[in-house]
Amino acid sequence: MALEVHCFCHVVSLARRLMRERFVLVSAAEVGGLFVAVLCCGIGSMASHAWALFLGVVLMASGAMGAAPRRPVAVPFGRNYMPTWAFDHIKYYNGGSEIQLFLDKYTGTGFQSKGSYLFGHFSMDIKLVPGDSAGTVTAFYLSSQNSEHDEIDFEFLGNRTGQPYILQTNVFTGGKGDREQRIYLWFDPSTSFHSYSVLWNMYQIVFFVDDVPIRVFKNSNDLGVKFPFNQPMKLYSSLWNADDWATRGGLEKTDWSKAPFVASYRGFHIDGCEASVEAKFCASQGKRWWDQKQFQDLDAFQYRRLQWVRSKYTIYNYCSDRKRYPMMSPECRRDRDI
């Protein structure tokens, strides 16, 4: 009986944690752990209560879980990318499955995709510059190649040792940007690799960090807000010095005694509709997995995760900046940014 009570208390503890987290950062393995704990309870009245509790949790989880992007497929750097400047500041490891970018007082470096893409899913595993990274910027973004360009940005703003990185995202449409959002991350991005990805289709652009949506930009063309839909974009990444603005608005300068600064990359996943830079539409429109109905919007589970990021980690959102924008941009309400 004592073992049954102990087991039931363990099940209750696990279930409470899962429900308290609202499945925001709960993995399938943790739900499986709850199942194993229930099995250990054996049979009897306590066991029946444990099974009832487990089934309730599973029903909550099944209602919450939705369509996450497909898992990225890691490939060597040279499959999809090529260096663009300061070639000697890029080092290759394990046959190109991992690379490192170096920044010193002479130059940074960068690379770009070989192809241009009109919609798709793009992912990169990055380990950011460790230690004192103030003044440095590590960028991963998509951009078209004309004056009224479209752009989808991840920018990682370095900081002094012990201070957190800031992740800034932005979306440019028709040459107009100024849609910055800034968040802290819920982990140290310089100690291990983490996945940063973009899902882009005709309906929305979603920024993901380790499968957690941190931002959504919906197609609000009907509200008079341009949306990237007819300009193919290349992918770019770079490590460079931006100490005139990157850290505390330029107050903190790059400490070159800490150079070289090193950012590491792997994954190099691209699953997009490849198109010439002159193309106006995707030839396989509507046929790719990222075009399907379940990817036209976030589901309830994903919106809860987004709200978790908004409430706990967002430090700047252009949608709530009334000093800068007395009138809120029309897309903000649709994007659930307020």
Side-chain angles (χ1 to χ4, degrees):
M1 182 65 180
L3 182 62
E4 244 184 83
V5 171
H6 174 76
C7 171
F8 181 70
C9 289
H10 181 56
V11 170
V12 170
S13 176
L14 283 172
R16 277 180 174 170
R17 194 190 76 77
L18 295 182
M19 289 185 284
R20 183 173 63 248
E21 293 288 344
R22 294 163 143 189
F23 301 91
V24 168
L25 292 177
V26 173
S27 66
E30 290 173 294
V31 177
L34 178 60
F35 175 71
V36 171
V38 172
L39 285 179
C40 291
C41 289
I43 59 175
S45 60
M46 287 291 185
S48 63
H49 288 306
W51 277 108
L53 186 58
F54 172 74
L55 291 173
V57 168
V58 168
L59 285 173
M60 283 182 64
S62 62
M65 300 297 180
R70 287 186 181 177
R71 188 164 296 279
V73 177
V75 298
F77 172 82
R79 177 81 60 85
N80 294 322
Y81 289 95
M82 60 184 184
T84 50
W85 52 292
F87 292 13
D88 62 335
H89 280 54
I90 302 179
K91 292 187 178 180
Y92 303 84
Y93 301 91
N94 302 320
S97 62
E98 182 178 331
I99 69 168
Q100 290 183 338
L101 305 190
F102 287 77
L103 166 67
D104 56 30
K105 63 181 179 180
Y106 301 106
T107 184
T109 187
F111 60 89
Q112 69 175 50
S113 63
K114 294 178 177 178
S116 298
Y117 303 90
L118 198 55
F119 310 120
H121 180 238
F122 313 95
S123 181
M124 190 73 72
D125 294 345
I126 307 175
K127 183 165 59 175
L128 297 176
V129 174
D132 190 339
S133 57
T136 70
V137 173
T138 307
F140 173 51
Y141 61 101
L142 295 94
S143 181
S144 62
Q145 290 107 62
N146 53 33
S147 57
E148 293 190 0
H149 79 294
D150 298 330
E151 190 170 310
I152 303 168
D153 293 341
F154 279 106
E155 290 182 310
F156 302 90
L157 313 183
N159 218 328
R160 291 293 177 215
T161 301
Q163 298 299 312
Y165 262 90
I166 292 174
L167 169 53
Q168 175 172 284
T169 59
N170 205 349
V171 178
F172 287 74
T173 59
K176 181 188 180 303
D178 299 327
R179 299 186 178 99
E180 297 92 348
Q181 294 183 4
R182 290 184 171 190
I183 68 169
Y184 290 134
L185 295 165
W186 48 97
F187 52 84
D188 183 346
S190 68
T191 58
S192 59
F193 284 96
H194 290 269
S195 173
Y196 305 95
S197 57
V198 170
L199 176 71
W200 170 37
N201 57 32
M202 275 291 293
Y203 306 94
Q204 62 179 356
I205 296 165
V206 187
F207 296 76
F208 290 94
V209 173
D210 290 340
D211 293 330
V212 177
I214 64 162
R215 180 175 185 175
V216 61
F217 185 80
K218 305 290 290 182
N219 187 337
S220 298
N221 196 54
D222 59 314
L223 301 178
V225 179
K226 290 184 177 181
F227 185 83
F229 75 96
N230 64 353
Q231 297 190 90
M233 294 194 254
K234 286 183 178 291
L235 289 101
Y236 300 86
S237 190
S238 58
L239 173 60
W240 52 292
N241 178 46
D243 66 4
D244 58 330
W245 67 271
T247 307
R248 295 184 60 212
L251 294 178
E252 301 282 355
K253 299 300 182 182
T254 304
D255 182 355
W256 293 111
S257 71
K258 302 295 197 300
F261 302 99
V262 181
S264 303
Y265 293 75
R266 68 185 186 191
F268 310 110
H269 166 83
I270 291 178
D271 184 358
C273 178
E274 191 162 1
S276 70
V277 293
E278 294 84 16
K280 298 296 183 184
F281 65 93
C282 172
S284 59
Q285 186 70 37
K287 300 176 182 178
R288 308 292 282 271
W289 68 264
W290 32 260
D291 260 337
Q292 303 309 305
K293 185 176 182 180
Q294 61 266 42
F295 300 103
Q296 295 178 13
D297 194 5
L298 300 185
D299 60 24
F301 171 61
Q302 291 169 323
Y303 270 120
R304 277 199 296 275
R305 282 182 146 186
L306 179 62
Q307 183 55 41
W308 175 76
V309 174
R310 284 279 168 271
S311 62
K312 289 183 175 288
Y313 298 101
T314 299
I315 57 175
Y316 177 80
N317 186 347
Y318 78 105
C319 286
S320 55
D321 190 342
R322 294 284 74 80
K323 184 176 181 180
R324 187 178 175 195
Y325 298 105
M327 293 288 291
M328 184 175 63
S329 297
E331 74 273 12
C332 291
R333 193 172 301 278
R334 180 171 289 177
D335 295 343
R336 303 195 188 186
D337 276 329
I338 55 169

